Amino acid sequence: MHDEPDAGFLDRPEVARSLDLLAAAGLPLDVPDAFERHMGQVVRVAQRHPGLTVVLDHLGKPPLGDAEAMGRWQEQLEQIAACPNVVAKVSGLATSGDGDFTEAVEHALTLFGPDRLMVGSDWPIAPRSLDLSSGFAPLLAQVRDRDEPAARAMLHGTAARIYRRLGEQALPAA
């Protein structure tokens, strides 16, 4: 859906049928590069398909450094976090806006808690091609600054629970 020109793609009836199949199979839906135009759709999908786990990638691309747009993003993220079947991936933030993602990560932690967040590296993309440490090292430092259970959840536990191997039962949240 990242390159899908139809801003209402996830609202299509034929897509809804596919999402029902994902939910029945216990598979998550990742919403990649969820830009502002996708945020409302994430809420509607999560509400219409309560048995579907929805993964908001890149925290919905917060417009870092743009105070007015960040206010809208925070409101949208609050609506998304109110849906218990949504988790968020903290990834790719070093290339969003001005790249200072500390406040966005803290806001996400407040809304989702560590058991509904997972860290992703966004390698090999961000912010310098094939340079894992360029955007990932500051994020790792921020996450590792948490207490050990929270860091473990964000670095491993949430992803292991959501992206389990075929045939594995879903793990409960910590």
Side-chain angles (χ1 to χ4, degrees):
M1 79 175 250
H2 173 53
D3 294 324
E4 173 60 49
D6 178 5
F9 176 75
L10 289 176
D11 294 319
R12 293 180 185 174
E14 62 273 22
V15 173
R17 288 190 297 275
S18 296
L19 297 178
D20 288 337
L21 293 172
L22 283 176
L27 297 172
L29 169 71
D30 271 62
V31 180
D33 285 343
F35 296 106
E36 187 172 353
R37 65 190 166 112
H38 300 129
M39 302 289 267
Q41 288 183 82
V42 170
V43 172
R44 289 190 300 277
V45 164
Q47 291 172 341
R48 290 177 186 156
H49 305 274
L52 176 67
T53 299
V54 180
V55 180
L56 177 68
D57 286 357
H58 307 310
L59 285 184
K61 300 297 274 186
L64 305 173
D66 181 336
E68 182 179 328
M70 277 297 287
R72 286 192 307 274
W73 171 83
Q74 288 175 337
E75 290 173 9
Q76 291 169 323
L77 197 67
E78 288 168 14
Q79 293 171 8
I80 290 169
C83 301
N85 56 325
V86 178
V87 299
K89 198 176 289 180
V90 183
S91 61
L93 300 179
T95 58
S96 187
D98 67 8
D100 183 4
F101 53 76
T102 304
E103 180 183 338
V105 172
E106 293 303 319
H107 188 65
L109 268 163
T110 299
L111 295 175
F112 287 92
D115 290 323
R116 291 178 56 208
L117 291 177
M118 65 182 103
V119 170
S121 69
D122 207 30
W123 188 88
I125 306 300
R128 291 188 302 269
S129 180
L130 303 175
D131 180 4
L132 179 62
S133 67
S134 64
F136 196 52
L139 176 60
L140 278 179
Q142 185 176 359
V143 170
R144 288 180 175 152
D145 195 35
R146 302 268 155 228
D147 62 59
E148 197 270 331
R152 186 175 53 242
M154 292 177 67
L155 294 171
H156 173 73
T158 303
R161 190 178 74 249
I162 301 303
Y163 300 116
R164 60 193 183 278
R165 291 179 291 228
L166 189 62
E168 284 184 340
Q169 293 297 318
L171 300 172

